Amino acid sequence: MKLITEINQKDNSEQSIEDSELYLDKIYEPNLRKLLSKCYQCVRCSGVCQLSKVQSFVPSVIIQRILEGSEDKVISSGVLWDCLTCNSCLQNCPEDINFADIVRNAKYKMKNYYKQNPEQFVAHKGIYTTISEILSEPYIQPNKNLDWVPKECKISDKGDILYFVGCIPYFKFEFQEVDPIPISSLKIMCQIENRPIVVLKDEVCCGHDLYWGLGNFEAFIKLAKKNYDLFEKSSVSTIITSCAEGYRTFKVEYPKLFEDFDKKFEVKHIIEYVYEKLKQGKVELKAPDESDINIQFTYHDPCRLSRFLPKSNNLLEKLREIFNILEGLGYSFKEMTHNKENALCCGVSSWMNCNTRSKALRYSRLLEAKEAGTTLVTSCPKCIMHLSCLQKDYDDLSSIEIKDFSEFLVNLIHVIDSENNGEVKS
Amino acid sequence: MTKAVSQVEKEDFEPYILVFCCNWCSYAGADLAGVSRFQYPPNVRIIRVMCSGRVDPAFVLRALKNRADGVLISGCHIGDCHYISGNEYTRDRFERLYNIIIKQLGVNEKRVKLEWVSASEGKRFAKVITDFTSEIKELGPLRK
């Protein structure tokens, strides 16, 4: 009979360890100074740092200390766990120093070499990050509930277009606000496409929170591999997602791991998808009813769709064009004081640091929203959860209606001419 | 032949089971089982919490992540809670955990369980543990 301890020691085989190291090299840079060498201390990053407004956190000083050789002290102090990774600093950096990337690499170091426990920084006692970690294990095959799929939508497990739902089914545990996002996104897609859309039952998390939040790159790599295999198996060519974090991860992070990810799969956000269909003349937007005319809406730019995307990606301009069309039809759209790349942070990213300080950030964001309009549209499920969580505490803010982009658009879309190829796959 | 081999493997497998017991009922029940010398499998590790309401769903998930093959939460019967309504919270929370997370996670639903055991039910505690352990043994290890 084997002892329990013996069974526990049976871990990964050596081969898989080597394999993951190969991938790890692609996303992990152990030498932080190398990433920072261009810094000439203009201190812009500290000026724009959103976190510095609510607590003492000075990126430029941290950079300087690392450059002076006290990287060890900076990392062992654990100060970098506090960073929101909102990327405001990169947006304003003249030398394009990616501070969030340094934080990400440092988090891996802090976790693995300095044995720091990030548990005290993780929100909700780490329940959602633990789910991601469990999903990354090779022996786990999720069995997602597909009861939410609207009746008029045809779905299959093989086909061209995939809708990536992401973690939203798990968020339902505490957040009901995000429920309508997959439903309305799928409704939009079903109306436009005639063929069934792929929604996978065994789809896993994209790994964003482990990558940016916990610095658990091993689990991130495992998740990425799982996703890659799943996409390949269902022979999809286009991946559409309504999640800002998932979009950014597929667009930027996965191609780093798999060289052919870009060529094999085309990743689109639901905004891009709707925009393309508008341009192709397949859909049009409806004019408002009388009851809708007074609705003033505004848009909260999630960091993952604004500052985190490469500059060549003009997703936000596409979105503003859609809003322009809506304005032409009679809706009133108003920008918040801080918008696009300068948008304020929702206060939490990757389930890290939900505390009184980040709450202050959220409060100031919602105050801006209240000034701008009655409906707040955004495209990040996390932003919706964080902002509507704050609304419960403040009566003066509870009048703002927070909606996802797809939820906002689902009733405004009218399909002109659906493709009648006659080739409807079963 | 293969059947025989797999049977041996199954018998060979000793599951690692985590049990959360509330201080006032289930832990006393476990105590009673010990004092009265009711036998139950030694695969369980008992963690005493003051109330089953203390058990955060994150604890259950973390246990599953860290190689536990099964997790059992045990508290006072509804209405008997030392803190009046602690176990009612547990019941509601567990229901959500079970239906929304565990069922969709791909971990077999049988691996997570909620049971009510009172301080006088030493025999029942031993039975609950024996049944749960044999169920987990039947399922095999979570980490294959």
Side-chain angles (χ1 to χ4, degrees):
Chain A
M1 209 174 90
K2 277 179 198 155
L3 291 172
I4 291 171
T5 45
E6 264 176 61
I7 297 168
N8 288 347
Q9 275 162 7
K10 256 202 298 181
D11 209 352
N12 301 345
S13 63
E14 274 180 27
Q15 200 195 345
S16 70
I17 291 172
E18 271 174 29
D19 193 37
S20 73
E21 263 174 18
L22 194 80
Y23 281 106
L24 190 63
D25 285 344
K26 293 180 188 175
I27 51 169
Y28 174 55
E29 170 59 59
N31 189 355
L32 299 185
R33 287 175 75 173
K34 206 165 128 192
L35 298 168
L36 293 167
S37 53
K38 279 191 280 177
C39 176
Y40 55 76
Q41 289 286 309
C42 67
V43 204
R44 275 196 206 179
C45 47
S46 306
V48 294
C49 179
Q50 308 212 6
L51 190 64
S52 70
K53 285 166 199 149
V54 286
Q55 76 175 68
S56 62
F57 185 87
V58 195
S60 59
V61 170
I62 293 169
I63 292 174
Q64 184 63 19
R65 282 178 70 192
I66 293 175
L67 284 174
E68 281 167 359
S70 17
E71 184 190 314
D72 191 56
K73 270 185 197 160
V74 172
I75 289 187
S76 59
S77 71
V79 63
L80 289 175
W81 286 117
D82 287 346
C83 178
L84 296 169
T85 65
C86 70
N87 240 1
S88 297
C89 39
L90 173 67
Q91 193 59 42
N92 293 280
C93 183
E95 289 290 331
D96 280 341
I97 290 170
N98 197 336
F99 189 74
D101 218 38
I102 288 150
V103 171
R104 177 178 69 79
N105 284 309
K107 274 179 179 174
Y108 183 80
K109 273 192 178 177
M110 291 194 272
K111 194 172 190 266
N112 290 291
Y113 303 118
Y114 289 76
K115 301 289 171 217
Q116 287 176 16
N117 192 355
E119 246 159 52
Q120 52 170 315
F121 305 106
V122 187
H124 297 267
K125 298 227 166 58
I127 179 162
Y128 299 107
T129 43
T130 316
I131 289 175
S132 305
E133 278 170 329
I134 292 178
L135 286 174
S136 77
E137 299 295 351
Y139 52 84
I140 293 285
Q141 224 199 357
N143 177 26
K144 282 191 179 167
N145 190 350
L146 295 182
D147 289 351
W148 55 268
V149 174
K151 270 181 198 157
E152 65 269 27
C153 288
K154 275 188 208 157
I155 56 164
S156 74
D157 49 3
K158 255 190 179 181
D160 256 359
I161 303 177
L162 175 127
Y163 174 60
F164 188 83
V165 187
C167 305
I168 292 171
Y170 301 115
F171 294 159
K172 220 175 162 182
F173 180 65
E174 276 161 304
F175 303 95
Q176 271 77 39
E177 299 88 2
V178 290
D179 270 6
I181 301 177
I183 301 173
S184 41
S185 301
L186 204 60
K187 263 188 193 165
I188 292 176
M189 289 168 66
C190 284
Q191 281 174 19
I192 296 171
E193 302 288 336
N194 245 342
R195 51 201 158 165
I197 286 152
V198 184
V199 179
L200 295 173
K201 228 179 152 67
D202 49 358
E203 155 203 293
V204 293
C205 158
C206 69
H208 171 276
D209 301 336
L210 302 177
Y211 187 73
W212 287 103
L214 281 183
N216 190 348
F217 294 166
E218 283 87 1
F220 172 73
I221 291 165
K222 280 190 214 162
L223 282 170
K225 275 190 203 161
K226 263 188 158 181
N227 270 326
Y228 184 79
D229 290 345
L230 273 176
F231 296 157
E232 240 180 6
K233 211 175 79 187
S234 47
S235 65
V236 293
S237 56
T238 313
I239 300 163
I240 297 172
T241 176
S242 49
C243 169
E245 296 178 329
Y247 175 73
R248 140 92 201 185
T249 312
F250 290 143
K251 202 91 182 166
V252 183
E253 253 68 66
Y254 278 24
K256 278 188 208 164
L257 290 174
F258 315 105
E259 276 135 18
D260 54 348
F261 193 86
D262 265 352
K263 287 167 210 150
K264 273 189 179 166
F265 313 109
E266 196 187 353
V267 184
K268 278 184 202 164
H269 196 275
I270 191 92
I271 296 170
E272 269 178 322
Y273 177 76
V274 170
Y275 176 80
E276 268 169 32
K277 296 294 166 189
L278 271 173
K279 284 279 139 182
Q280 286 168 11
K282 281 188 181 144
V283 290
E284 60 179 5
L285 299 169
K286 283 183 205 165
D289 298 334
E290 273 173 29
S291 58
D292 294 340
I293 284 179
N294 296 325
I295 294 175
Q296 273 204 331
F297 73 98
T298 180
Y299 187 76
H300 165 71
D301 293 281
C303 53
R304 261 64 184 167
L305 289 186
S306 51
R307 298 182 285 263
F308 262 83
L309 289 178
K311 284 192 175 123
S312 55
N313 192 317
N314 51 356
L315 189 73
L316 292 181
E317 271 82 66
K318 286 177 187 168
L319 180 73
R320 293 311 192 273
E321 257 182 62
I322 298 178
F323 287 161
N324 271 344
I325 299 172
L326 282 175
E327 263 195 306
L329 288 172
Y331 296 90
S332 52
F333 170 66
K334 199 179 163 195
E335 290 278 14
M336 279 191 255
T337 325
H338 294 88
N339 56 52
K340 292 182 186 170
E341 283 84 7
N342 298 321
L344 292 185
C345 178
C346 72
V348 186
S349 78
S350 336
W351 297 115
M352 299 295 276
N353 298 309
C354 180
N355 48 34
T356 42
R357 297 186 292 269
S358 61
K359 224 175 188 181
L361 291 175
R362 253 170 284 165
Y363 187 75
S364 58
R365 189 54 171 166
L366 274 183
L367 279 185
E368 271 191 9
K370 202 182 176 189
E371 242 172 61
T374 49
T375 304
L376 176 67
V377 182
T378 185
S379 346
C380 174
K382 296 251 177 80
C383 288
I384 294 178
M385 292 189 292
H386 302 323
L387 294 174
S388 48
C389 171
L390 186 83
Q391 277 187 315
K392 288 172 196 157
D393 297 351
Y394 294 92
D395 284 341
D396 53 330
L397 298 174
S398 57
S399 62
I400 307 166
E401 199 182 356
I402 302 176
K403 273 186 174 176
D404 184 72
F405 173 76
S406 58
E407 204 184 337
F408 177 70
L409 213 68
V410 67
N411 294 323
L412 307 180
I413 258 184
H414 173 68
V415 180
I416 300 168
D417 172 39
S418 54
E419 298 162 82
N420 281 321
N421 294 338
E423 289 177 349
V424 183
K425 288 172 204 165
S426 59
Chain B
M1 178 68 191
T2 48
K3 200 181 176 187
V5 170
S6 70
Q7 220 158 30
V8 170
E9 268 177 6
K10 227 171 219 177
E11 275 164 22
D12 214 26
F13 162 63
E14 291 296 334
Y16 191 103
I17 293 166
L18 199 66
V19 183
F20 291 100
C21 282
C22 85
N23 181 52
W24 304 101
C25 293
S26 303
Y27 199 77
D31 212 17
L32 185 64
V35 172
S36 335
R37 310 216 163 184
F38 296 128
Q39 300 281 325
Y40 63 83
N43 301 68
V44 291
R45 310 286 187 279
I46 296 177
I47 294 179
R48 182 173 61 137
V49 284
M50 286 312 278
C51 176
S52 55
R54 174 70 183 90
V55 182
D56 196 286
F59 297 172
V60 177
L61 291 173
R62 213 176 299 163
L64 290 173
K65 189 193 103 192
N66 293 334
R67 302 167 183 195
D69 294 301
V71 183
L72 181 73
I73 304 167
S74 179
C76 311
H77 287 276
I78 296 290
D80 285 354
C81 181
H82 187 81
Y83 304 101
I84 308 195
S85 58
N87 53 6
E88 286 167 19
Y89 288 113
T90 318
R91 184 188 52 191
D92 300 347
R93 203 179 296 143
F94 185 83
E95 215 165 87
R96 274 187 298 139
L97 171 77
Y98 190 77
N99 291 328
I100 296 171
I101 297 183
I102 301 291
K103 273 190 179 171
Q104 298 194 62
L105 197 59
V107 175
N108 196 313
E109 290 132 66
K110 285 180 188 165
R111 290 186 191 274
V112 182
K113 209 171 180 183
L114 177 67
E115 282 282 349
W116 309 126
V117 178
S118 85
S120 60
E121 296 175 326
K123 192 153 199 177
R124 194 177 123 75
F125 183 82
K127 191 179 175 294
V128 165
I129 298 290
T130 318
D131 290 354
F132 190 57
T133 312
S134 62
E135 236 172 62
I136 300 290
K137 266 193 181 172
E138 200 63 37
L139 290 172
L142 175 64
R143 189 175 280 249
K144 277 163 196 141

